[in-house]
Amino acid sequence: TEGFGLTAVEAMSQGCVVAGNDTTGMKEQFDKGKELTGDEIGFRYRGVSELTRALELVSSENMDFSAIRERARQVVFNEYPVSKMVGNVEEFYLKILNR
């Protein structure tokens, strides 16, 4: 799992339902999403049995994921607007250049 959880953020921005390990950056993304929307924005797991269950849920054709997709996209676009992300990259480059 990626430590920052940004791969999952990119997936959520494209309408993908995400299953992620409930640790490090992914946990932060899920926690922030729940804080902002009042509900989960993906499927958390800890351990193999929970991962198996999460993958079964995500791959289910009988479930409507529109609400979870909408919550996830709402969080992504509120927390990671393009202007903010470009500004963060620019700031980082300026720090490197000014050392």
Side-chain angles (χ1 to χ4, degrees):
T1 305
E2 179 202 354
F4 297 110
L6 294 178
T7 302
V9 168
E10 185 174 342
M12 287 186 261
S13 76
Q14 298 303 306
C16 296
V17 178
V18 172
N21 198 348
D22 195 24
T23 59
T24 63
M26 197 64 244
K27 179 180 178 5
E28 285 183 40
Q29 301 299 341
F30 284 145
D31 289 349
K32 175 62 78 174
K34 191 165 186 177
E35 175 187 321
L36 293 173
T37 68
D39 208 345
E40 295 291 350
I41 61 169
F43 294 96
R44 302 174 189 240
Y45 68 85
R46 286 187 174 215
V48 175
S49 63
E50 288 183 14
L51 171 58
T52 301
R53 181 67 183 137
L55 292 175
E56 288 171 350
L57 287 170
V58 168
S59 63
S60 172
E61 293 180 13
N62 298 327
M63 292 189 65
D64 179 9
F65 294 112
S66 56
I68 202 166
R69 282 187 175 111
E70 183 54 37
R71 286 192 302 273
R73 286 179 61 109
Q74 174 188 347
V75 170
V76 168
F77 291 118
N78 285 335
E79 292 297 302
Y80 302 100
V82 171
S83 60
K84 179 179 177 182
M85 300 311 294
V86 169
N88 288 347
V89 170
E90 182 180 39
E91 182 181 321
F92 181 70
Y93 281 142
L94 289 174
K95 282 182 184 179
I96 292 170
L97 294 171
N98 290 327
R99 280 192 185 196

